[in-house]
């Protein structure tokens, strides 16, 4: 029995291609971390850059990074809240 938040990869007796196993491992790690690329890389013990490369290679590159607030976005928010006053 797996604890909450734990995942298990199952491979049939007939085997599975390594690419399919790696892709599934990355996908499950993203699910476990809520698509947090930094946390996923940490759990997989690889760099964020390597995880980004593998994600792109296995068609998982649409997984978003954590949203980053840029200075430009902060300025827009500040202008909008000033304008509402």
């Amino acid at each position: 029995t797996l604890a909450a938040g734990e995942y298990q990869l199952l491979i049939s007796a007939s085997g599975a291609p390594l690419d399919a196993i790696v892709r599934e491992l990355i996908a499950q790690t993203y699910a476990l971390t809520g698509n947090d690329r930094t946390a996923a890389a940490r759990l997989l013990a690889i760099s964020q850059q390597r995880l980004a490369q593998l994600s792109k290679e296995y068609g998982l590159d649409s997984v978003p990074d954590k949203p980053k607030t840029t200075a430009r976005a902060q300025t827009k928010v500040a202008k909008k809240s000033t304008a509402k006053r």
Side-chain angles (χ1 to χ4, degrees):
T1 304
L2 298 174
E6 290 185 335
Y7 290 86
Q8 181 177 6
L9 285 173
L10 300 175
I11 302 170
S12 72
S14 62
L18 182 58
D19 285 347
I21 294 169
V22 172
R23 185 186 192 289
E24 184 61 22
L25 178 63
I26 293 169
Q28 287 189 20
T29 304
Y30 278 137
L32 181 66
T33 62
N35 292 334
D36 182 335
R37 197 170 269 167
T38 302
R42 191 177 312 114
L43 281 175
L44 294 170
I46 60 175
S47 70
Q48 291 181 49
Q49 293 80 12
R50 181 64 180 140
L51 180 57
Q53 290 170 342
L54 289 169
S55 296
K56 185 173 183 175
E57 182 179 333
Y58 292 112
L60 299 168
D61 57 326
S62 62
V63 175
D65 285 324
K66 278 186 152 182
K68 295 177 184 172
T69 305
T70 63
R72 188 174 186 180
Q74 290 173 344
T75 302
K76 285 183 179 181
V77 170
K79 286 180 180 178
K80 284 182 181 179
S81 60
T82 304
K84 289 181 181 179
R85 292 182 187 173

